[in-house]
């Protein structure tokens, strides 16, 4: 959070000083009128803009049909089993909370398989492994307890704020993802897609100022040789904090003409998502409703109690504090949106977030000791039966009583 806000303020402050300075080149952006028509060459239909409701609804309906065929082949008869959804939010190194919670859930012995898994930012790095289940718990623990800043970013000079597209290079993170995500992992994900399961990751298209939802299960199922690189790129891009890390320039085509989209951290649009409110899983438009129990688990890798700080009477200090407040409020708003959608669709709502009791020192981003303590805290809580909240913060008395220092 602090990185996002400081960068937003910093770049706003230097914007007036950088007019006319050279920056990395790019191809033409997709014209506004053609945005919804842009496709990834060789990989059509692997993503959705929030306005593309029918395409998402169709994918959801097809996933149920695939699930029915798989269950029938396994000898299952009768009603469909409960559909369990998991949404993992952004939060930087606080992703250690989600990793610890998931691994503790495995140790508790009652972690369910998820029909749908979604991820944003650090949640995008967790989501594929959460989707594939407990056999990947060791990878989650390793990533969130044995890394430091050098495993995520390589520093650039301060002049990069003027001449380049980011203050740091996230090549170390790219290398890490490339090591963990290979074709064998994609084949495992593709096998789950055939069973009717879905893995979705969110990025932000800065040109169009729109969120984009990538169907990672469909990408994994593609035999196109570019699928593996795209899968990795979406994971890293969703965690590319604007200004801190370089954006990903995505080549697309419209009517045979090539353009480029600029994609960054999905948290620029939504810090966590389940499915768009324009969709209804219980009463889909133009389709017969599917009767089954539905349960949603939302992991918010962040604290939600307000953080107190004395603000100096200085422009950058005031702007920085305002931006952090805006980001924190957006995160809570995302939870309210999900809660409202689940109540409409009769989906059981369950929320986890970093509680007030956890108060370990956090000297800098991706501090290894902080992540280990946060991971252990979440793991212990989860092993003993995590106390999932049934309401978003603020709806229950005493939720956000006193600000923390």
């Amino acid at each position: 959070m602090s990185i996002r806000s400081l960068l937003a303020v910093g770049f706003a402050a230097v914007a007036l000083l950088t007019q006319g300075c050279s920056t990395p080149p790019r191809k033409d952006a997709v014209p506004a009128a053609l945005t919804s028509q842009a496709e990834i060459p060789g990989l059509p239909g692997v993503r959705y803009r929030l306005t593309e409701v029918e395409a998402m609804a169709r994918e959801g309906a097809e996933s149920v049909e695939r699930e029915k065929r798989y269950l029938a082949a396994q000898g299952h008869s009768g009603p469909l089993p409960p559909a369990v959804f998991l949404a993992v939010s952004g939060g930087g190194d606080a992703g250690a909370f989600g990793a610890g919670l998931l691994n503790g859930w495995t140790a508790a012995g009652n972690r369910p398989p998820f029909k749908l898994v979604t991820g944003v930012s650090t949640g995008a790095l967790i989501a594929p492994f959460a989707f594939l289940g407990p056999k990947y718990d060791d990878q989650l623990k390793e990533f969130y307890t044995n890394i430091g800043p050098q495993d995520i970013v390589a520093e650039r000079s301060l002049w990069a704020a003027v001449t380049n597209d980011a203050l740091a290079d996230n090549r170390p993170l790219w290398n890490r993802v490339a090591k963990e995500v290979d074709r064998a992992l994609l084949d495992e994900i593709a096998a789950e897609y055939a069973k009717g399961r879905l893995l979705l990751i969110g990025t932000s298209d800065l040109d169009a100022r729109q969120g984009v939802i990538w169907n990672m299960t469909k990408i994994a199922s593609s035999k196109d040789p570019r699928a593996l690189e795209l899968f990795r790129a979406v994971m890293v891009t969703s965690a590319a904090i604007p200004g801190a890390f370089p954006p990903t320039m995505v080549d697309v085509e419209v009517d045979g003409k090539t353009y480029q989209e600029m994609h960054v951290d999905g948290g620029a649009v939504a810090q966590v998502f389940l499915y768009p409110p324009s969709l209804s899983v219980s009463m889909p438009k133009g389709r017969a409703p599917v009767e089954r129990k539905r349960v949603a688990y939302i992991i918010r890798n962040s604290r939600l109690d307000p953080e107190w700080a004395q603000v100096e009477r200085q422009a950058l200090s005031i702007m920085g504090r305002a931006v952090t407040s805006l980001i924190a409020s957006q995160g809570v708003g995302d939870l309210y949106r999900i809660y409202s959608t689940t109540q409409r669709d009769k989906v059981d709502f369950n929320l986890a977030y970093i509680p007030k009791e956890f108060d370990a020192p956090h000297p800098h981003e991706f501090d290894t000791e902080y992540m280990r303590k946060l991971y252990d805290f979440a793991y212990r809580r989860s092993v003993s039966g995590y106390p999932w909240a049934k309401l978003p913060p603020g709806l229950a008395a005493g939720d956000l009583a006193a600000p923390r220092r």
Side-chain angles (χ1 to χ4, degrees):
M1 289 298 198
S2 58
I3 289 179
R4 284 189 177 90
S5 60
L6 289 174
L7 286 166
V9 172
F11 277 90
V14 302
L16 296 177
L17 303 177
T18 60
Q19 300 299 316
C21 293
S22 61
T23 55
R26 62 164 296 179
K27 297 176 184 176
D28 290 340
V30 182
L34 302 178
T35 298
S36 62
Q37 302 175 39
E39 293 278 14
I40 308 297
L43 291 158
V46 297
R47 63 189 195 155
Y48 321 101
R49 296 182 184 274
L50 297 183
T51 54
E52 297 173 347
V53 178
E54 180 54 35
M56 286 185 278
R58 185 168 55 251
E59 179 61 58
E62 290 172 356
S63 77
V64 173
E65 293 305 313
R66 291 193 300 271
E67 182 182 9
K68 288 178 178 178
R69 290 195 296 270
Y70 170 74
L71 291 173
Q74 301 301 307
H76 174 85
S77 61
L80 286 170
V84 185
F85 308 146
L86 173 69
V88 190
S89 84
D93 57 5
F97 174 75
L101 191 157
L102 285 165
N103 289 5
W105 204 349
T106 299
N110 59 350
R111 176 175 161 182
F114 302 111
K115 164 74 173 175
L116 167 69
V117 177
T118 72
V120 173
S121 197
T122 198
L125 302 177
I126 294 173
F129 304 109
F131 179 80
L132 288 174
K135 66 178 290 187
Y136 283 92
D137 283 2
D138 288 345
Q139 281 89 333
L140 280 180
K141 181 178 181 180
E142 173 69 18
F143 187 85
Y144 284 99
T145 62
N146 284 316
I147 65 166
Q150 72 281 357
D151 300 301
I152 304 297
V153 298
E155 292 184 2
R156 288 175 173 173
S157 70
L158 290 177
W159 190 241
V162 177
T163 63
N164 218 317
D165 54 6
L167 290 173
D169 187 350
N170 58 355
R171 178 51 54 183
L173 177 59
W174 275 94
N175 294 338
R176 181 101 189 187
V177 169
K179 179 182 176 182
E180 300 288 346
V181 178
D182 55 15
R183 186 63 239 185
L185 184 137
L186 261 63
D187 290 341
E188 288 188 60
I189 291 174
E192 298 305 310
Y193 183 59
K195 299 175 185 177
R197 300 178 63 210
L198 293 171
L199 169 63
L200 308 176
I201 285 178
T203 65
S204 301
D205 179 348
L206 277 188
D207 296 316
R209 196 178 279 180
Q210 287 184 343
V212 175
I213 297 174
W214 298 81
N215 187 337
M216 306 299 280
T217 29
K218 195 168 184 178
I219 295 173
S221 298
S222 171
K223 300 305 179 183
D224 190 288
R226 292 165 288 192
L228 176 58
E229 189 62 22
L230 178 62
F231 193 102
R232 293 167 173 168
V234 172
M235 286 181 64
V236 175
T237 303
S238 185
I241 301 171
F245 304 146
T248 296
M249 306 309 298
V250 179
D251 289 325
V252 296
E253 289 182 351
V254 180
D255 295 331
K257 186 173 181 180
T258 301
Y259 299 96
Q260 263 188 346
E261 297 171 347
M262 180 183 287
H263 284 253
V264 297
D265 193 327
V269 172
Q271 294 175 36
V272 63
F273 73 96
L274 190 60
Y275 55 87
S278 52
L279 293 176
S280 174
V281 297
S282 60
M283 294 295 292
K285 293 180 180 178
R287 294 178 174 87
V290 178
E291 296 295 333
R292 69 191 310 178
K293 181 181 179 182
R294 296 179 177 87
V295 183
Y297 293 96
I298 294 86
I299 298 177
R300 180 70 179 106
N301 292 304
S302 175
R303 306 182 67 106
L304 297 181
D305 49 320
E307 182 179 17
W308 185 93
Q310 178 170 308
V311 182
E312 300 301 320
R313 292 192 64 177
Q314 183 184 47
L316 291 182
S317 179
I318 294 169
M319 287 190 289
R321 183 65 172 174
V323 171
T324 56
S325 300
L326 176 63
I327 293 172
S329 297
Q330 178 204 351
V332 174
D334 291 335
L335 299 178
Y336 272 76
R337 183 182 63 252
I338 292 174
Y339 178 74
S340 175
T341 304
T342 57
Q343 297 311 290
R344 179 199 66 191
D345 292 346
K346 298 180 174 58
V347 179
D348 183 25
F349 177 89
N350 299 271
L351 170 66
Y353 55 90
I354 303 173
K356 301 173 184 177
E357 300 91 276
F358 181 78
D359 199 24
H362 191 193
H364 56 79
E365 295 293 326
F366 298 102
D367 177 70
T368 307
E369 190 60 29
Y370 170 80
M371 289 190 291
R372 287 175 178 171
K373 289 180 178 178
L374 182 54
Y375 174 93
D376 290 340
F377 174 86
Y379 183 91
R380 290 193 303 270
R381 280 216 161 186
S382 191
V383 165
S384 58
Y386 194 86
W388 295 90
K390 306 302 291 185
L391 297 168
L395 286 186
D399 263 354
L400 305 175
R404 59 188 172 88
R405 294 186 65 87

